[in-house]
Amino acid sequence: MSKEKCVLAYSGGMDSTISTVWIQENYNMDVVTLTVDLGSGPEIERVRERSKKAGAIESLVWDVKDEFVNNYIFPGLKAGAVYEDSYALSTALGRPLMAKKLVEAARKVGASAVAHGCTGKGNDQVRFDASVMTLMADSSPLKIIAPAREWGMTRDEEKMYANKAGLELREVGNDQRVYSIDRNIWGQAIEGEDLEDTWSEPPEDAFSWTKSIENTPDKPIEIIIGFEKGIPVSLDNKKVSGKDLIEKLNSLAGEHGVGRIDHTENRLVGIKSREVYETPAAIVLHKSIKALETLTLSRDQQRMKNTISQVYSDMVYDGRWFTELRNNIDAMMNDMHKYTTGEVRVKLHKANCIVTGRRSEYSLYDFDLATYSTDDIFEHSSATGFIDIFSLPGKTQAKNQTFHDSK
Ligand code: ARG
C-alpha cells in the first residue's frame, strides 16, 4: 500500500530541509515539497535539488508573484495596511497565499496533510493554520503538521537530521551572525542575534536591501508615481507592472537608505518582539498613496479610512485574511479609491522619502477657495453666521454648567 502524502511549505532553508526528513520518519508519510515563490530572491533556484536530496518524492515550485502583488499587496496598500504604524505586513500578507497554495497542492497530489516550518512562538503558525482550516472547510480535512512546533530537538538530533538530509549543520560559535530572515517582494523581516536586545543598534550586517545613511548618495533623486483608482501603475510617466514597480522601488529607495524599520512589535501570541524590517517600496508606496488621498478624499472619508485601516492591519497581522469582514473592507476600500487617480512626486534622500508634489484630475483642493491672493472666491462674510451656530452648543454648556455655580 502506498504511503499517505504530506505537502510541505518549503523554503530550501535548513529547517524546512530537516523537516522534509523528519516528516518521513515521524509520520511515515511521503513528502511533496512546495516552494511558493513570492519574490524571495535567488535561493529559490536550488530548492528542487535540496528537497530531492532530503527524500521528497516531488518538488513543486510555483511562481505566484503576480497573484501576490495584485490580490494581496495592492489590496493591503489600498487599505493602508501598516501594523502599529510601522510594519507593512510583508510576511503577514504572504502567509495566507502560501496556505492557499498548500491546500491547492494537497488536493492536486492527493495528500492528506500539509506542513509548515513555523515554531510555536510566532504569528506565522496562526496565519498558516487559520488559513488552511478555513480553506479546507468545504471538503475533506487535511492534517496540519508543524515539525518545528512539535519536534523539540536537541542540537545533536538536529545534526543527525541535517546529515540525513545531506546538509552540514552550521557550527555555532563562529563569528558570523545568523539572522532569521523571512523575505518576499514586499519586504524582509529580520530577527534574532543582536537584535534581541532592544537597546542595541541593529548591526550593519543585518541589512541587505538598504544602504546605511552614511553610505547613501549625497544627491537626492526624484521620482513620480502614477496611480489609477488606488493602484500604482506608472513610474516617471512610464507604465509598469505592479511587480516591476515594486522591484524597481526596492532598489531605488534602498540605495538611498529608505526602508529600514526598527520596531518593538506586539505579537498575537502575547510576546513583544524586536523586529527589524527592510521595506523600501512599501514605504514609498504607502506614503505616496496617502499623499494622493489628501487631495481626493474628503475629511470624513480620511478619518473613516484611518479607523478601518487599523482594523484591517490587525486582521492581516492576526491571520484573519480569509474572512467575510476582510472582503467587506476591501469592497469599501475599492469604492473609496474610485478617484485615487493622479500623480505623486517623491524625493529620496538620506533615508528620507519626502513627498514634494501631488496632483489629480479629481482633486478636492480648489485653488480659488484656498488662495490668499485676490483670486479668492471664498465668501468671508458667511463665516460669522457659521461660527455663531457652530459654537452654540459650547456656549450653552458653558453658561448652564461650567459657569453655573460660580454665579
Ligand atoms: N514579525 C513579523 C510578522 O509576524 C515577521 C516574522 C517573520 N519571520 C521570521 N522568521 N523572520 O509578520
Side-chain angles (χ1 to χ4, degrees):
M1 213 180 78
S2 67
K3 289 183 187 169
E4 288 189 27
K5 288 184 199 162
C6 171
V7 180
L8 165 70
Y10 185 69
S11 68
M14 178 64 68
D15 284 350
S16 59
T17 306
I18 291 180
S19 298
T20 313
V21 182
W22 189 88
I23 294 169
Q24 296 168 65
E25 294 198 349
N26 290 270
Y27 281 91
N28 191 28
M29 285 178 152
D30 279 334
V31 175
V32 174
T33 61
L34 170 65
T35 306
V36 182
D37 182 1
L38 303 172
S40 51
E43 298 91 282
I44 216 112
E45 322 228 293
R46 286 166 49 229
V47 296
R48 277 214 175 81
E49 184 197 318
R50 280 165 84 99
S51 106
K52 287 277 164 67
K53 235 176 159 176
I57 57 162
E58 199 178 345
S59 164
L60 306 168
V61 180
W62 290 354
D63 178 349
V64 299
K65 290 195 278 286
D66 287 318
E67 187 176 353
F68 184 39
V69 170
N70 296 323
N71 299 349
Y72 295 75
I73 292 176
F74 284 170
L77 178 65
K78 287 201 251 183
V82 179
Y83 186 65
E84 299 183 333
D85 296 326
S86 303
Y87 165 39
L89 292 159
S90 44
T91 297
L93 284 163
R95 296 308 184 201
L97 177 55
M98 289 174 81
K100 182 164 175 253
K101 296 295 154 186
L102 267 184
V103 173
E104 269 173 40
R107 301 299 183 211
K108 195 166 162 242
V109 304
S112 57
V114 294
H116 58 72
C118 307
T119 66
K121 240 175 131 167
N123 302 306
D124 286 330
Q125 52 169 346
V126 183
R127 298 168 186 150
F128 264 117
D129 290 7
S131 299
V132 169
M133 286 174 193
T134 309
L135 293 169
M136 70 189 184
D138 72 328
S139 98
S140 59
L142 294 161
K143 186 176 173 49
I144 301 173
I145 299 172
R149 189 167 58 188
E150 300 168 24
W151 63 32
M153 273 199 253
T154 62
R155 190 80 189 160
D156 280 344
E157 286 167 309
E158 267 183 55
K159 252 193 188 146
M160 178 195 81
Y161 278 108
N163 258 332
K164 287 188 185 174
L167 295 176
E168 280 282 322
L169 202 61
R170 267 183 303 252
E171 283 307 321
V172 275
N174 60 15
D175 35 330
Q176 243 220 320
R177 280 183 281 255
V178 184
Y179 298 99
S180 158
I181 297 180
D182 182 72
R183 179 184 299 140
N184 64 46
I185 190 172
W186 200 226
Q188 56 179 350
I190 308 142
E191 294 172 328
E193 299 281 4
D194 305 28
L195 304 176
E196 289 177 353
D197 175 355
T198 56
W199 183 247
S200 62
E201 183 179 354
E204 217 26 61
D205 69 359
F207 301 104
S208 54
W209 285 13
T210 55
K211 284 203 166 148
S212 67
I213 300 183
E214 294 82 355
N215 292 322
T216 54
D218 289 330
K219 252 177 78 117
I221 58 161
E222 266 195 334
I223 53 174
I224 296 174
I225 298 164
F227 287 86
E228 264 169 35
K229 296 187 194 305
I231 301 281
V233 291
S234 68
L235 181 63
D236 294 333
N237 298 314
K238 277 191 227 62
K239 286 262 170 229
V240 59
S241 76
K243 178 177 119 339
D244 291 350
L245 176 66
I246 293 171
E247 279 171 351
K248 187 90 198 149
L249 288 178
N250 275 335
S251 82
L252 279 177
E255 172 70 19
H256 286 269
V258 170
R260 291 187 180 186
I261 301 287
D262 177 355
H263 179 50
T264 310
E265 185 169 297
N266 291 298
R267 284 195 191 163
L268 177 59
V269 292
I271 306 169
K272 277 189 192 285
S273 67
R274 207 283 183 85
E275 300 283 335
V276 170
Y277 299 100
E278 293 186 287
T279 57
I283 285 176
V284 174
L285 289 174
H286 273 292
K287 251 212 151 140
S288 303
I289 194 170
K290 271 248 146 61
L292 196 53
E293 287 169 8
T294 62
L295 293 183
T296 55
L297 295 181
S298 70
R299 182 171 102 146
D300 288 343
Q301 284 176 303
Q302 284 179 270
R303 299 292 182 274
M304 177 59 80
K305 181 165 179 280
N306 276 343
T307 305
I308 297 180
S309 289
Q310 282 210 9
V311 174
Y312 192 94
S313 305
D314 285 353
M315 286 183 69
V316 173
Y317 190 82
D318 295 352
R320 283 178 286 142
W321 181 264
F322 295 110
T323 57
E324 277 308 313
L325 180 56
R326 204 262 311 158
N327 289 335
N328 300 152
I329 299 180
D330 278 341
M332 180 179 180
M333 289 298 169
N334 283 334
D335 202 51
M336 270 199 169
H337 282 295
K338 266 194 302 208
Y339 304 111
T340 316
T341 296
E343 291 174 323
V344 180
R345 194 179 56 240
V346 170
K347 188 185 275 185
L348 304 171
H349 190 220
K350 296 281 171 205
N352 288 301
C353 167
I354 304 158
V355 174
T356 57
R358 64 298 266 159
R359 64 182 174 199
S360 165
E361 59 187 297
Y362 301 111
S363 178
L364 301 172
Y365 176 89
D366 189 323
F367 178 84
D368 294 339
L369 283 174
T371 183
Y372 284 104
S373 74
T374 47
D375 298 329
D376 182 9
I377 59 161
F378 185 77
E379 196 56 71
H380 288 241
S381 58
S382 309
T384 53
F386 163 73
I387 297 165
D388 281 344
I389 293 172
F390 183 68
S391 53
L392 188 59
K395 224 162 69 184
T396 311
Q397 192 157 29
K399 188 163 92 191
N400 296 356
Q401 295 179 350
T402 321
F403 300 128
H404 181 272
D405 293 337
S406 60
K407 266 196 218 135

